Amino acid sequence: RAVLAVVADTRAPDGMHLDAGAAIHLQELPRATDALRKRGEQLVDGVLRELEAQAAAPMMEEDYDGPVLFQGPAAAQLLASTVATQVGGNPAPLGDAGRVRDFEPHWQDALGKPVMPSFLDLEDDPREGFGRYVLDGQGFVAEPLTLVKSGVLRELLMTRTPNKKRAASNGRARVTPSLRHGPTISNLSVKSRKRGMARAQLERELLRRAREDGYEFAYVVESLRDNNILGPVDREGATGYGGGRKVSLPLPARIV
């Protein structure tokens, strides 16, 4: 696999640091063809347009604690920064006073309990798609795994490290750039037995709920900052991908 990434940064007129990035993920080592060069140029142009849009966007002047709709790429990023970090099966590390529970994913306490709406299933399948693989980082064969069925948590992402409720690996050990093994998803999909709403219906429902909270407007998040490409945020008070029992979202990159 290979990744062609573009990162750019600038400062807004008020001095705020802004950055944007995007990547092309390739499943083989690329050759410098005209087609790839064109895709790279389009990638650069897209990142620069996004950065210009950020710099020109108005500031959000008032506090808001009403409903928010995650749409498009932001919906997938929301799952990646919450479910994917909370369904890992590695137990908390040992400290001087026993296990440090602050570093243990929340869902380890939720096996057999509802964690999502009852009309949703959550499945992880390494056989197809960009995240496909045959053997995980510890040599185990990875099979399809139903993590959530009818809203109830059925399984965890397991490596060779056991916990109190699961003793064996299910082939979810992957190697990080620092050569450490950890449990993670491959190709995560959400399946619903309830018919979804059109975009216009979703936005009407969003505004209805916002009015119940006393607002005449609401926000739609279209994308989150990709910390995998851009790295951690260096602004004071900003959050990155969370781990353990702390759930934190990447910063919104595009809000309408």
Side-chain angles (χ1 to χ4, degrees):
R1 294 176 184 166
V3 177
L4 173 60
V6 175
V7 174
D9 72 331
T10 188
R11 290 195 178 275
D14 64 358
M16 178 183 290
H17 177 257
L18 303 170
D19 57 14
I24 299 172
H25 296 270
L26 305 161
Q27 293 191 292
E28 59 184 13
L29 292 177
R31 293 185 297 170
T33 62
D34 290 340
L36 181 60
R37 186 175 294 107
K38 183 177 181 180
R39 290 182 67 188
E41 291 171 352
Q42 292 172 341
L43 191 69
V44 172
D45 291 343
V47 169
L48 292 179
R49 283 195 301 270
E50 179 65 25
L51 200 58
E52 290 171 350
Q54 287 185 28
M59 289 288 293
M60 295 168 58
E61 299 292 349
E62 60 182 296
D63 293 336
Y64 178 82
D65 60 0
V68 175
L69 175 62
F70 289 82
Q71 200 166 59
Q77 291 173 303
L78 178 65
L79 282 179
S81 55
T82 53
V83 172
T85 61
Q86 295 305 314
V87 77
N90 277 10
L94 284 172
D96 293 338
R99 293 206 174 273
V100 186
R101 292 276 290 167
D102 286 347
F103 293 97
E104 188 170 273
H106 280 288
W107 279 15
Q108 287 191 29
D109 296 331
L111 273 172
K113 300 177 182 178
V115 293
M116 301 181 79
S118 60
F119 58 85
L120 291 180
D121 297 342
L122 202 61
E123 298 179 1
D124 187 63
D125 191 343
R127 298 175 300 177
E128 300 292 338
F130 179 76
R132 69 177 182 268
Y133 62 94
V134 177
L135 300 176
D136 74 352
Q138 295 174 331
F140 281 79
V141 175
E143 299 291 343
L145 188 66
T146 298
L147 295 167
V148 175
K149 184 69 174 178
S150 300
V152 176
L153 183 64
R154 299 298 186 190
E155 290 295 340
L156 300 171
L157 302 171
M158 295 298 299
T159 67
R160 292 180 62 185
T161 303
N163 59 43
K164 291 182 178 180
K165 298 179 180 179
R166 293 289 185 270
S169 171
N170 50 30
R172 262 54 188 189
R174 308 304 298 274
V175 181
T176 69
S178 60
L179 302 181
R180 298 179 61 187
H181 289 93
T184 192
I185 57 174
S186 55
N187 296 301
L188 189 69
S189 61
V190 180
K191 298 183 179 180
S192 175
R193 285 177 295 282
K194 184 177 179 180
R195 187 173 181 177
M197 296 182 184
R199 175 166 181 160
Q201 290 176 295
L202 280 171
E203 291 177 352
R204 284 196 296 270
E205 176 65 13
L206 177 66
L207 285 172
R208 185 190 67 78
R209 297 190 183 192
R211 292 189 183 102
E212 290 180 350
D213 289 342
Y215 296 97
E216 290 300 320
F217 64 93
Y219 289 113
V220 177
V221 180
E222 293 185 338
S223 66
L224 302 176
R225 184 181 183 276
D226 193 334
N227 296 356
N228 291 321
I229 296 174
L230 296 170
V233 180
D234 58 5
R235 293 199 300 274
E236 183 178 354
T239 57
Y241 281 103
R245 303 183 83 82
K246 179 182 178 183
V247 180
S248 57
L249 294 178
L251 292 172
R254 180 176 284 269
I255 301 177
V256 297

